[in-house]
Each structure stands twice: as C-alpha cells, then as structure tokens.
Amino acid sequence: MTQSSKGTALITGASSGIGAIYADRLARQGYDLILVARNKARLDEVAKRLGDETGRAVETVAADLGNKADLARIEEVLRTDASITALVNNAGFGATAPLLDTSVDKMEEMITLNVSALTRLTYAAVPGFAARGTGTIINIASIVGIVPEVLNGVYGGSKAFVLAFTLSLQKELADTGIRVQAVLPGATATEFWGNAGTPLEHVPSEIVMSAENMVDAALAGLELGEKVTIPSLPDVGDWEAYEAARHKLMPNLSLNKPASRYRLGAST
Ligand code: NAP
C-alpha cells in the first residue's frame, strides 16, 4: 500500500549521482517528486523506475539552470505549487584545475549554477514555505567550502557561499517552521569527478564514499536536527569546536580602532 504523501520534493540535478539517490530515498520516505536537470531522457528513466517501485507521483522538468529563462520556469513552479514541501538544491559542477589552467568563462558558468541558481530557487521557495509554516531546504555544499585549497578555488568559493548562505538562512528562518540543512560531502563516487577534470579512478579510494552512503548519512543528519552535515566526520564535536572558534571571534570582528599589532597609535 502507498504511504500517505509528505508533499512534493523538488530536486535539482536529479538525473544522476547524488540527486538521483535523493530522489530514490525521498520517494521511499513518501514524497512525490519533481525532478529537474538538463537531460530529459535520464530524468525520465529515474522517474519511471521510482514511480514503478514506490507508487509516488514523479514529474520531470528538463531545464538548464544556468539559463535565465529555464531557471525562471523552475522558480515559477516553486512559487506557485503549494504541494512542494522540500527543495533539494543539488545541481552543481566543479573543477579540479587551478586558475592558470581554467577559463574564466567556465568559472562564471560555475558561479551561475552553484551560486546564482541555488540562490534564486531558494528565494522562490521560502515565501511559500514561510506562509505555510513548514518546509525543508537541503543545500548541497561541499567540504571544499571549508577547505578551498583542495580543488579549484572558484569551486571552493562557490561552496563556501552555499555554506554561508545556509548558516544565515538558519538564523533568519529560525521561527518559521522551515528546516534548512547544509550538506558538505567529501569525495563521492559520481560523474562529478570525470566532469571536473579528474577521473574518479585517480582519487584514492579511501577518501571516496558511495553516493548511497553519502545521501543516507545526510538524511540521517537531517533527522537528527543537524544544521550542517559532514557525512564522514567521525566526531561531530570537531565541527562544534570549529563553529565555537568562529563564534569566539565575533565580538572582536568589528571595533572602532585597529588592533595594537598594527602600531598605528591613537587615531586622530
Ligand atoms: P553529477 O553526477 O555530475 O550530478 C550533477 C547533476 O547536476 C546532474 O544531475 C546534472 O544533470 C545536473 N546539472 C549539471 N549542470 C546543470 C545545469 N546547468 N542545469 C541543471 N542541472 C544541471 O555529480 P554529483 O556528485 O551528484 O553532484 C551533485 C552535487 O554534489 C553538486 O552540487 C556537487 O558540487 C556536489 N558535491 C559532489 C561531490 C563529489 O565528490 N561527487 C562532493 C561534494 C559536493 P544534467 O547533466 O542532466 O543537467
């Protein structure tokens, strides 16, 4: 028998990898789905399988989220479909090469998808969620958001944005009934790596997690109420200490005089 619906989850980048696993897991949790990516044939394949296996309603919308008009269509869906109770901002791509070996046009394309599209989709979803007093936003960031030295710097910067934006939303939306989670996957076994310029086989297997384990851990983290989930981090206390160190800086980050180490004397 089909479980009662938890509403509809709109998942971007659901044609492969992490997004396709979110689709699978959320359908099994009782969500109907709207799956978004560019490749319609792959989306339809995921939708058919999940529809058959779970009995949930699964719709697909082909859209290039780097294209303003396509993005606007998805924003409109989020603004007008009151059945939507969850948004998984997952579509994104990365690069492994440094500045000297990458084109700025490709980097701008990355910012457009990883940052601008995610921002616009969030802006489209939040007012309805707030009005209805419920909703879940899962933003797929990356560990490179906190260690940007590891891969391409623009990719790291784009994921640092996702983390910072999510932390801010958690504060802004605290009393609205909306859950907002940032997920920071480490290396995950998907097509991401080949597309980013490093074949997955070249990544040491001891640092690569399956997409299934990554998503299952992230969803478990969501249920635990984690605002930030790092699926492989053994001791959550390490993240809490990192956050505590950041907050400890807060009282001194904006003062009316420079620090004494700059030896500027009394200001005039
Ligand atoms: P993936 O298998 O390459 O999936 C990327 C998804 O995004 C695909 O469904 C792709 O579908 C979609 N997409 C790409 N460009 C798009 C566009 N312009 N418009 C709409 N959809 C687009 O890689 P993945 O690992 O699952 O990546 C998912 C997310 O996880 C990304 O945000 C990535 O940065 C993040 N992440 C991945 C890793 C990792 O090691 N794999 C680690 C940390 C974070 P179409 O090609 O059909 O459009």
Side-chain angles (χ1 to χ4, degrees):
M1 204 180 71
T2 318
Q3 322 160 249
S4 66
S5 177
K6 290 189 163 177
T8 301
L10 188 146
I11 305 169
T12 68
S15 62
S16 67
I18 292 168
I21 304 294
Y22 266 106
D24 181 282
R25 300 311 195 249
L26 293 181
R28 287 175 207 286
Q29 283 188 13
Y31 284 90
D32 294 326
L33 303 174
I34 300 175
L35 307 180
V36 179
R38 292 166 303 181
N39 189 321
K40 175 81 170 147
R42 289 185 89 180
L43 281 179
D44 287 343
E45 223 175 275
V46 175
K48 164 119 192 39
R49 181 175 57 78
L50 293 182
D52 290 349
E53 289 178 11
T54 67
R56 304 287 4 151
V58 187
E59 199 184 308
T60 62
V61 187
D64 178 350
L65 298 175
N67 172 293
K68 272 255 170 210
D70 278 14
L71 180 58
R73 280 196 289 123
I74 308 303
E75 289 174 56
E76 185 63 11
V77 171
L78 286 165
R79 268 195 298 268
T80 55
D81 184 344
S83 78
I84 296 175
T85 52
L87 166 64
V88 184
N89 271 316
N90 164 75
F93 74 91
T96 55
L99 181 148
L100 288 173
D101 299 328
T102 44
S103 90
V104 72
D105 289 339
K106 192 72 187 168
M107 296 300 105
E108 189 178 12
E109 213 182 290
M110 189 191 291
I111 294 167
T112 301
L113 180 63
N114 296 7
V115 174
S116 301
L118 177 142
T119 303
R120 293 199 67 100
L121 294 177
T122 304
Y123 265 76
V126 165
F129 286 179
R132 297 191 287 278
T134 185
T136 300
I137 298 177
I138 298 171
N139 287 333
I140 306 301
S142 164
I143 56 151
V144 298
I146 54 171
V147 284
E149 301 88 347
V150 173
L151 301 177
N152 168 276
V154 177
Y155 180 57
S158 75
K159 294 302 187 177
F161 172 89
V162 176
L163 175 59
F165 182 49
T166 306
L167 291 173
S168 164
L169 285 178
Q170 286 163 354
K171 179 157 188 287
E172 286 183 19
L173 301 176
D175 301 321
T176 60
I178 303 174
R179 288 189 294 184
V180 194
Q181 181 197 29
V183 178
L184 276 59
T188 308
T190 70
E191 295 167 19
F192 169 92
W193 286 94
N195 295 333
T198 299
L200 185 59
E201 310 80 74
H202 294 192
V203 185
S205 60
E206 63 272 20
I207 69 160
V208 180
M209 192 179 287
S210 72
E212 288 80 0
N213 280 342
M214 201 302 284
V215 173
D216 287 339
L219 285 169
L222 181 70
E223 286 314 306
L224 287 171
E226 287 185 0
K227 293 179 166 173
V228 176
T229 294
I230 303 177
S232 70
L233 191 71
D235 182 358
V236 75
D238 286 346
W239 171 258
E240 289 162 359
Y242 176 86
E243 277 295 270
R246 192 169 68 82
H247 282 281
K248 181 168 174 288
L249 293 171
M250 206 103 83
N252 290 315
L253 290 176
S254 181
L255 297 173
N256 61 5
K257 56 181 189 325
S260 61
R261 69 183 172 282
Y262 301 120
R263 302 176 192 288
L264 300 183
S267 59
T268 51

